[in-house]
């Protein structure tokens, strides 16, 4: 069932929050939800929980470029599936009257053009501005943040990211709508340190991946509370791609395996 709102009514009246749970696998997200291990996400997810979707690409850089052009993860069932946002181009088969269509190369530029302040809090290396490549994604936003404590090697990365995101939200003028991207790095390898009792020698596993999601769930309420503090906030929470932990001999991502292509997705409105 199509649960999309009319995005032409959302844009301009709502803040927009895009939370990318970098590397989160659908099977892990769905299992933890069913087991009651992610109660804070359960409290905001729509009826039915996570949608099973296909990622637009198999690694962070490509997937975020696609999502920020309007190509969010696609429902994992036969389509076509009209999109929430779409850059206008001839021949598009996935836009309809509820799609917010824009004449710009990317969503942050388009939203800035209709009055939004655009900001991102990066996590993985493609947001770190330590190279030309690491500047492409943050350069799409008027304001961007990254520091080592937001990165994949810090066991408290998400707490640090949430604190910065809360500051960004508070500093945005009340009368100006906000588009905020938070790229959550905690699920990405290395994640062994989120599993109680694990050591570096144990390495990463589906169990440590799950523990990382539980860690994110513990700290996400502060982000949601801040996001809802100014006006209704249209919120998208999804993964950009999954990752393999030895299935069929595969490890990691940037490859064409079910564990990589299948991701969780949800959208909903946060309100005070």
């Amino acid at each position: 069932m199509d649960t999309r709102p009319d995005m032409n009514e959302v844009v301009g009246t709502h803040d927009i929050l895009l939370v990318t749970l970098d590397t989160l696998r659908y099977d892990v997200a769905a299992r933890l939800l069913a087991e009651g291990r992610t109660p804070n996400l359960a409290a905001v997810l729509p009826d039915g929980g996570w949608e099973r979707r296909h990622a637009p690409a198999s690694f962070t850089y490509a997937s975020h470029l696609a999502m920020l052009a309007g190509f969010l993860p696609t429902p994992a069932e036969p389509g076509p599936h009209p999109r929430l946002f779409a850059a206008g181009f001839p021949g598009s088969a996935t836009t309809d009257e509820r799609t917010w269509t824009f004449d710009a190369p990317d969503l942050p530029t388009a939203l800035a053009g209709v009055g939004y302040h655009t900001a991102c809090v990066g996590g993985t290396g493609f947001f770190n501005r330590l190279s030309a490549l690491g500047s492409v994604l943050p350069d799409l936003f008027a304001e961007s943040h990254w520091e080592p404590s937001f990165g994949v090697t810090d066991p408290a990365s998400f707490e640090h990211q949430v604190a910065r995101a809360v500051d960004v939200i508070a500093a945005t003028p009340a009368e100006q709508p906000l588009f905020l991207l938070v790229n959550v790095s905690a699920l990405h390898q290395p994640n062994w340190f989120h599993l109680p009792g694990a050591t570096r020698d144990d390495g990463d596993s589906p169990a440590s991946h799950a523990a990382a999601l539980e860690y994110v769930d513990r700290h996400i309420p502060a982000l949601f509370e801040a996001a809802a503090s100014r006006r209704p906030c249209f919120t998208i929470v999804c993964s950009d791609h999954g990752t393999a932990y030895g299935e069929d001999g595969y490890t990691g991502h940037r490859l064409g395996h079910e564990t990589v292509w299948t991701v969780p997705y949800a959208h909903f409105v946060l309100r005070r």
Side-chain angles (χ1 to χ4, degrees):
M1 182 179 67
D2 190 352
T3 60
R4 291 175 308 131
D6 186 339
M7 295 306 295
N8 298 289
E9 297 178 357
V10 170
V11 173
T13 62
H14 291 54
D15 284 347
I16 300 173
L17 172 66
L18 172 58
V19 180
T20 55
L21 300 173
D22 204 296
T23 317
L24 177 59
R25 292 168 46 145
Y26 172 80
D27 58 349
V28 172
R31 176 169 58 84
L32 265 61
L33 182 65
E35 293 173 355
R37 294 168 58 185
T38 50
N40 294 311
L41 285 165
V44 296
L45 290 175
D47 292 344
W50 293 111
E51 287 187 52
R52 182 176 179 269
R53 293 202 174 197
H54 289 150
S58 62
F59 70 109
T60 298
Y61 179 75
S63 191
H64 278 79
L65 281 178
M67 288 193 286
L68 291 172
F71 297 98
L72 294 164
T74 304
E77 57 190 29
H81 300 287
R83 291 179 284 141
L84 297 175
F85 311 98
F89 66 92
S92 173
T94 54
T95 59
D96 68 6
E97 68 280 355
R98 285 185 283 173
T99 304
W100 188 68
T101 304
F102 52 87
D103 185 20
D106 58 82
L107 184 59
T109 299
L111 289 171
V114 294
Y116 277 75
H117 178 56
T118 64
C120 76
V121 178
T124 58
F126 289 113
F127 291 87
N128 65 16
R129 290 195 178 278
L130 299 181
S131 66
L133 182 61
S135 300
V136 172
L137 291 170
D139 277 351
L140 298 176
F141 296 83
E143 176 183 357
S144 65
H145 299 268
W146 186 91
E147 58 188 51
S149 69
F150 299 171
V152 299
T153 61
D154 193 314
S157 61
F158 189 52
E159 295 152 84
H160 300 148
Q161 289 184 288
V162 168
R164 184 61 54 84
V166 169
D167 288 346
V168 169
I169 293 166
T172 302
E175 68 276 7
Q176 184 175 25
L178 171 66
F179 172 47
L180 174 63
L181 165 67
V182 181
N183 168 243
V184 179
S185 66
L187 284 301
H188 196 285
Q189 57 265 34
N191 54 44
W192 59 267
F193 40 71
H194 291 294
L195 186 64
T199 68
R200 186 184 302 275
D201 290 340
D202 294 322
D204 299 335
S205 65
S208 61
H209 189 88
L213 180 57
E214 291 179 294
Y215 160 72
V216 168
D217 185 79
R218 287 194 295 274
H219 295 282
I220 208 164
L223 174 61
F224 289 160
E225 181 179 354
S229 65
R230 296 161 21 96
R231 58 175 56 80
C233 181
F234 184 78
T235 302
I236 301 164
V237 182
C238 65
S239 177
D240 56 342
H241 58 79
T243 199
Y245 289 103
E247 293 86 357
D248 299 315
Y250 290 102
T251 300
H253 39 273
R254 200 165 55 82
L255 52 91
H257 191 271
E258 175 73 12
T259 57
V260 175
W261 284 111
T262 309
V263 296
Y265 172 94
H267 64 243
F268 46 87
V269 175
L270 294 170
R271 304 179 190 274
R272 280 191 284 195

